[in-house]
Amino acid sequence: MTEVRGQLRFILNDRDVVLDNLPATRTLLDFLRLDRRMTGSKEGCAEGDCGACTVLVGRLKRGQLVYETVNACICFVGSLDATHVVTVEHLSAANGPLHPVQQAMVDHHGSQCGFCTPGIVMSLYGMWMQNADPSVNDIEVALQGNLCRCTGYAPIIKAGKSISAYGTVVADPLIVERQSIKARLQALKDGKRVELGEDKDRVIVPASSDDLAEVYAANPTGTLVAGATDVGLWVTKFMRDIGPMIFIGDIADLHGIGEVDGALRIGAAVTYSDAEAAITSRYPQLATFWSRIGGQQVRNAGTIGANIANGSPIGDTPPPLIVLGASITLRKGDVRREVKLEDFFIAYGKQDRQPGEFVEAVTIPPLGEGEQFACYKITKRRDEDISSVCGAFRVKVEAGAVADVCIAFGGMAATPKRAKTVEAALLGKPWTAATVEAALSAYAEDYQPITDMRASAEYRMVSAQNLLRRFLLETTGEGERLVREVA
Ligand SMILES: Cc1cc2nc3c(=O)[nH]c(=O)nc-3n(C[C@H](O)[C@H](O)[C@H](O)COP(=O)(O)OP(=O)(O)OC[C@H]3O[C@@H](n4cnc5c(N)ncnc54)[C@H](O)[C@@H]3O)c2cc1C
Ligand code: FES
Ligand code: FES
């Protein structure tokens, strides 16, 4: 039987915080600004888009203390047990010298109205701690989730490039204090389940996946929360109650990344950032795609497990994972079952998941010999945007003909869905433009996309068809030849 602790404990800058009561919906930003009157972190959008609320959260991950940027506006306080929260107030003492990041921003005129500035400073700080000599691209990635509406990004990027001219990482307080903070967090992580409050204000942080199985089976109407990059918006935009909230994002045995029989197995609580190296080293075709999921703050919190579990028709990971033949492990109590990912999505908002059952892991097989694979994301803007259409393709060509093919799209139907009629129109035929052109009409059998704020139905259909043309050009080398010809 897991021991229960009735207090949530974390470190906020240099102070210990102990809470024995907490609304399940309390966001970190409201806690900072309203409860603690720490108004340095700003609220711009309250939906994870602008980055004005960015703070650093330090957690013990696989034995290491890792600080990552997160959007405080959609981060629940209930997710912070045994963490070190660092806000912009911690960067320099009142009337003390500015932190190197802040001084660089001042000297390079990186701030005008200043509303975005605390968030930008924290994003640059998070980057600089890990990379003291960033390239322009590194800075752009770090700032993918930060909007500035008046300064323009050139001065901010110049500031980001020059931080090390104002101080060294080794002398930075968070680095100097690393061992003592790590020891304090280890002491806070006592292996107990955290349980606070009642009814809609009940917050539960299970101690392990076995404990989660027990808690969720007993509370099947509770809301599982991993990175809260979806659930956060249910609260800030739709004022929904989420209690009892069951926070699973910090359960160590849901953080595994490993190999099982040659396949990659990723635990349900692994974030996009933590999965990136394993995914992109095995499937380098996903490198650009991966960096376009959300912005840095969203990738630091959001999980692949929840991207699957939420069943969204425009979630980015299902199309490539379906095409790669992934399966998921579902668990209820002690009972586990494996489901092919493409069978998990039944209808809009309906997945093959029972009350009290949760996604434990996703397993992704390697590409077979001679298989070619690609995944494309179409959005209105490059960074921090949800797909209008997301298409994934895998083909095996033998003796010039299509020996095997799998195609799946997001944004084209009520669920992520395979293009089985298009696949049938390609199978066994020569892998040529003529075959592809002849197969395009089959899209209408597979998909009747909708018009919404992201794209019209016509735009979606034409984009999806063009992506197949693109895949052909890329896999045959014809695209490169055409580019050379035009050049
Ligand atoms: C600014 C912004 C940008 C975004 N950009 C993208 C994008 O580019 N592409 C994209 O696909 N998505 C995007 N999203 C959506 C979101 O980040 C993803 O869907 C993410 O994967 C959700 O993960 P999470 O851990 O934060 O989920 P949470 O919000 O914690 O949970 C989401 C849902 O999954 C359920 N759940 C969580 N874990 C499990 C589990 N193990 N088993 C069963 N149910 C579970 C929860 O109960 C909830 O219903 C964006 C969101 C924001 C705010
Ligand atoms: S306030 Fe905009 S991301 Fe948090
Ligand atoms: S300085 Fe005004 S929004 Fe960035």
Side-chain angles (χ1 to χ4, degrees):
M1 178 104 181
T2 311
E3 271 190 82
V4 175
R5 167 161 43 92
Q7 289 178 328
L8 187 108
R9 311 175 306 193
F10 61 98
I11 308 168
L12 172 58
N13 296 333
D14 52 7
R15 302 220 167 152
D16 291 326
V17 176
V18 179
L19 301 171
D20 49 22
N21 209 349
L22 174 73
T25 51
R26 197 59 160 169
T27 64
L28 173 56
L29 188 60
D30 281 353
F31 175 77
L32 293 172
R33 293 182 58 86
L34 305 178
D35 295 359
R36 295 294 163 120
R37 297 285 166 195
M38 293 166 64
T39 52
S41 310
K42 305 295 181 227
E43 180 172 271
C45 64
E47 60 181 51
D49 264 318
C50 74
C53 62
T54 303
V55 299
L56 290 179
V57 174
R59 284 182 196 278
L60 295 173
K61 286 190 178 182
R62 288 175 274 274
Q64 298 301 316
L65 172 56
V66 181
Y67 286 96
E68 289 179 312
T69 49
V70 302
N71 293 312
C73 67
I74 51 169
C75 170
F76 295 117
V77 176
S79 70
L80 294 172
D81 193 59
T83 63
H84 183 201
V85 176
V86 181
T87 69
V88 71
E89 284 87 352
H90 197 50
L91 264 61
S92 57
N95 305 321
L98 291 178
H99 186 276
V101 180
Q102 295 169 314
Q103 194 60 55
M105 284 285 281
V106 171
D107 289 358
H108 291 83
H109 310 285
S111 179
Q112 282 189 23
C113 80
F115 200 81
C116 69
T117 307
I120 288 192
V121 163
M122 294 309 285
S123 285
L124 290 176
Y125 184 25
M127 171 202 71
W128 180 70
M129 277 172 64
Q130 293 171 28
N131 177 2
D133 184 21
S135 65
V136 169
N137 185 57
D138 296 333
I139 297 167
E140 284 181 355
V141 170
L143 296 179
Q144 266 180 315
N146 292 83
L147 293 179
C148 175
R149 281 292 175 252
C150 39
T151 302
Y153 293 91
I156 296 171
I157 288 171
K158 279 187 192 147
K161 283 286 287 172
S162 69
I163 302 168
S164 289
Y166 297 87
T168 60
V169 172
V170 282
D172 187 78
L174 288 188
I175 302 294
V176 173
E177 292 166 10
R178 184 171 285 260
Q179 286 314 322
S180 73
I181 295 285
K182 193 173 162 186
R184 284 167 72 187
L185 295 185
Q186 277 162 341
L188 292 181
K189 255 191 180 315
D190 55 6
K192 293 183 183 166
R193 175 197 303 168
V194 176
E195 227 176 311
L196 315 178
E198 289 184 357
D199 303 325
K200 66 184 175 56
D201 284 336
R202 191 155 168 228
V203 173
I204 310 172
V205 186
S208 64
S209 58
D210 286 345
D211 192 32
L212 165 64
E214 189 183 319
V215 165
Y216 198 30
N219 300 276
T221 57
T223 308
L224 296 185
V225 173
T229 59
D230 286 323
V231 179
L233 278 72
W234 303 354
V235 169
T236 60
K237 297 291 143 176
F238 303 108
M239 313 300 160
R240 271 173 63 176
D241 280 324
I242 57 167
M245 166 187 140
I246 305 169
F247 176 65
I248 66 167
D250 218 13
I251 294 179
D253 53 357
L254 293 182
H255 274 270
I257 302 176
E259 201 173 289
V260 178
D261 299 332
L264 179 62
R265 187 178 155 95
I266 297 180
V270 173
T271 62
Y272 294 111
S273 296
D274 285 348
E276 184 168 2
I279 290 277
T280 58
S281 61
R282 280 166 172 257
Y283 313 102
Q285 301 89 337
L286 290 178
T288 305
F289 175 77
W290 211 257
S291 69
R292 292 190 54 217
I293 297 174
Q296 188 72 65
Q297 296 93 324
V298 167
R299 289 194 299 276
N300 289 341
T303 60
I304 305 170
N307 198 236
I308 291 169
N310 72 19
S312 165
I314 46 174
D316 275 337
T317 60
L321 295 183
I322 286 173
V323 158
L324 288 167
S327 59
I328 54 173
T329 309
L330 291 160
R331 176 172 179 185
K332 181 175 182 174
D334 286 337
V335 179
R336 290 183 171 87
R337 63 191 178 106
E338 289 290 311
V339 174
K340 274 192 84 174
L341 184 56
E342 67 175 274
D343 299 332
F344 179 65
F345 305 106
I346 298 169
Y348 183 74
K350 187 168 162 51
Q351 290 80 252
D352 178 9
R353 189 162 73 86
Q354 305 302 313
E357 194 173 43
F358 61 95
V359 177
E360 193 172 46
V362 55
T363 305
I364 318 166
L367 278 171
E369 187 71 30
E371 288 184 326
Q372 291 174 289
F373 165 65
C375 183
Y376 310 110
K377 170 167 173 163
I378 308 262
T379 51
K380 284 189 175 172
R381 57 170 199 223
R382 189 190 62 183
D383 292 325
E384 186 97 289
D385 205 359
I386 308 263
S387 291
S388 307
V389 175
C390 171
F393 303 83
R394 175 173 57 79
V395 71
K396 182 169 185 172
V397 180
E398 280 175 350
V402 177
D404 190 19
V405 60
C406 188
I407 300 172
F409 277 95
M412 291 291 287
T415 62
K417 190 177 168 219
R418 267 179 75 176
K420 289 192 177 172
T421 319
V422 179
E423 292 170 10
L426 298 170
L427 198 63
K429 310 265 172 50
W431 184 229
T432 60
T435 301
V436 164
E437 293 304 316
L440 293 184
S441 60
Y443 269 84
E445 300 291 317
D446 289 320
Y447 302 116
Q448 293 81 47
I450 57 164
T451 294
D452 65 9
M453 63 177 178
R454 292 187 212 289
S456 67
E458 294 77 14
Y459 177 89
R460 288 191 153 104
M461 186 57 93
V462 171
S463 302
Q465 292 174 332
N466 283 343
L467 290 180
L468 179 58
R469 290 184 169 119
R470 175 176 171 181
F471 183 59
L472 173 82
L473 291 173
E474 288 183 357
T475 51
T476 54
E478 184 65 2
E480 275 181 30
R481 193 188 65 75
L482 289 173
V483 170
R484 274 200 308 273
E485 221 173 77
V486 173

